Amino acid sequence: QVQLVESGGGLVQPGGSLRLSCAASESIFRSYVMGWYRQAPGKQRELVASITIGSITNYADSVKGRFAISRDNAKNTVYLQMNSLKPEDTAVYYCNLRSRSGSGLLPWGQGTQVTISS
């Protein structure tokens, strides 16, 4: 059963903005730290941002100051607001339960494609 569904990706020009959404099951959302990950072609998957049950956030240095992760507990949804987008942000973005070490705890889903191009 699919318990995490990403959406909101698309094609954006450099400097533009995009907001990604991840809908989760209630039990998962209430019990785990949530994270956004991305994987560019030929690159390893990396943790971009995470948010705790108490809404404490953490970011990769490459996106700090440009991206913002948030959660809506009533909707069991986590968001990733992406501003000042750069071509190097182009990747497939995934959400997952985040382990303490930063790895994803569930099998990876389809993700949502984000392409930054002029």
Side-chain angles (χ1 to χ4, degrees):
Q1 183 180 7
V2 177
Q3 299 182 87
L4 297 170
V5 180
E6 304 97 336
S7 63
L11 175 63
V12 183
Q13 292 183 319
S17 298
L18 204 60
R19 189 179 74 161
L20 307 183
S21 299
C22 175
S25 68
E26 184 176 7
S27 60
I28 289 177
F29 194 79
R30 291 180 176 178
S31 301
Y32 296 92
V33 176
M34 303 297 297
W36 280 101
Y37 303 76
R38 69 185 181 187
Q39 186 169 28
K43 305 291 185 179
Q44 294 182 339
R45 199 191 318 271
E46 62 176 339
L47 176 64
V48 174
S50 63
I51 185 166
T52 69
I53 306 303
S55 296
I56 303 301
T57 59
N58 205 347
Y59 300 93
D61 289 340
S62 59
V63 306
K64 191 172 297 183
R66 300 188 299 118
F67 290 10
I69 189 171
S70 62
R71 62 194 296 155
D72 186 332
N73 294 333
K75 296 182 178 180
N76 299 323
T77 300
V78 61
Y79 304 95
L80 185 66
Q81 178 66 48
M82 304 184 294
N83 300 320
S84 301
L85 286 163
K86 305 174 180 179
E88 52 262 44
D89 294 319
T90 295
V92 178
Y93 284 70
Y94 306 86
C95 64
N96 208 332
L97 285 56
R98 204 208 83 157
S99 74
R100 188 169 185 177
S101 67
S103 62
L105 292 173
L106 295 177
W108 301 103
Q110 293 182 343
T112 185
Q113 176 71 51
V114 172
T115 302
I116 314 303
S117 177
S118 59

